[in-house]
Amino acid sequence: MAKGGYVFYLDTCMLPIAPEKLQLKINNANETVTLINEGEINIMKAAGLTDIEFECEIPQVEYPFASYNSGFQGASYFLDIFESLKTNKKSFQFIVSRTRPNGTVLYSTNIKVSMEDYQITESAGNGFDLTVKIKLKQYREYSTKIVNVTVSTAKATVTTNRAGSVETPQTYTVQSGDCLWNIAKMFYNSGSDYTAIYDANSSLIESTAQEHGLASSSNGHWIYPGTVLTIPAT
């Protein structure tokens, strides 16, 4: 764990030195239009994607205040990971957590993102170390609607099934990179319904978080692969 319980994860890669500042821009997609004789009005639309930006120091030498998952790694190791996240055309989990020494969560975020770009700065004043400016964008799962058409001699009926609808309770085993928002999106077609899954599994989620050394899961921000969740019916 990094000093002060402050950690940044890009997928499974923990940054050796946690950035001093994290900027999240919570976007919206509302549209302002002008009506004849009525002036401007604001058309409310679904929320836009969140932009994330921060700078991190990537050391070339081992410092006592830096943290590594599996021993010291030079800057090239992290640059290869950043390049892979940018070019492999796959989303990944961005996790930030800040905790007190007793495990109490001060701040946490767990969001699926894409690597938009990163900028490397080398400066003689920074020794051999590198400064990397990283820009991420929230990734939102999407799917198409499936239409099943049944034709009989008496009548024709059309049934529309939303991808992810749940008519009876089901179970789901948490996979690496999952979060409750994405699981709710998968089953309910709405990530904001994640609270229904948390409420149905709160005891299990909290006890699992404690088994992993956290005092709290922070209402489901922390879930772990292998946990079998009950998915309530809609």
Side-chain angles (χ1 to χ4, degrees):
M1 182 69 71
K3 183 177 180 181
Y6 200 21
V7 294
F8 274 63
Y9 275 92
L10 299 178
D11 199 18
T12 59
C13 172
M14 184 180 78
L15 298 181
I17 301 176
E20 294 182 356
K21 181 172 65 175
L22 170 66
Q23 179 177 313
L24 289 87
K25 182 181 179 184
I26 315 301
N27 295 305
N28 213 327
N30 295 344
E31 182 180 358
T32 300
V33 299
T34 302
L35 301 180
I36 298 176
N37 298 326
E38 296 292 337
E40 291 185 335
I41 63 169
N42 195 16
I43 300 175
M44 309 294 284
K45 295 187 177 183
L49 300 176
T50 296
D51 293 315
I52 303 167
E53 186 173 327
F54 59 88
E55 284 188 352
C56 57
E57 297 295 324
I58 304 298
Q60 291 277 35
V61 296
E62 187 172 5
Y63 296 120
F65 53 81
S67 298
Y68 299 89
N69 276 340
S70 55
F72 171 74
Q73 298 287 350
S76 60
Y77 169 82
F78 295 96
L79 296 182
D80 287 345
I81 291 176
F82 298 160
E83 182 64 15
S84 176
L85 292 175
K86 184 177 184 297
T87 59
N88 65 9
K89 299 180 181 179
K90 293 181 180 179
S91 61
F92 58 92
Q93 217 67 28
F94 174 62
I95 299 174
V96 178
S97 176
R98 192 170 192 178
T99 59
R100 298 181 187 274
N102 64 2
T104 303
V105 177
L106 293 174
Y107 172 81
S108 67
T109 183
N110 188 337
I111 184 172
K112 184 165 283 190
V113 298
S114 61
M115 173 77 81
E116 293 301 295
D117 62 64
Y118 62 94
Q119 178 179 321
I120 304 168
T121 301
E122 290 189 88
S123 171
N126 204 29
F128 296 107
D129 301 336
L130 304 178
T131 299
V132 182
K133 184 175 183 179
I134 293 178
K135 293 183 180 180
L136 309 174
K137 184 177 286 290
Q138 178 186 9
Y139 179 82
R140 185 174 294 161
E141 300 285 353
Y142 60 91
S143 60
T144 58
K145 290 185 177 181
I146 302 172
V147 179
N148 298 325
V149 180
T150 303
V151 180
S152 67
T153 55
K155 60 181 180 178
T157 61
V158 179
T159 303
T160 302
N161 296 329
R162 288 195 315 169
S165 64
V166 179
E167 297 180 357
T168 58
Q170 299 182 21
T171 60
Y172 176 77
T173 302
V174 177
Q175 306 296 312
S176 177
D178 278 341
C179 63
L180 289 187
W181 181 281
N182 292 334
I183 295 172
K185 184 72 174 179
M186 183 190 313
F187 283 94
Y188 302 140
N189 207 31
S190 173
S192 61
D193 290 333
Y194 77 94
T195 53
I197 301 176
Y198 174 78
D199 291 342
N201 299 273
S202 58
S203 296
L204 173 61
I205 291 173
E206 294 300 328
S207 63
T208 303
Q210 292 170 11
E211 290 173 2
H212 285 77
L214 294 179
S216 168
S217 77
S218 188
N219 291 334
H221 280 295
W222 294 94
I223 56 176
Y224 296 88
T227 304
V228 179
L229 301 176
T230 298
I231 309 300
T234 55

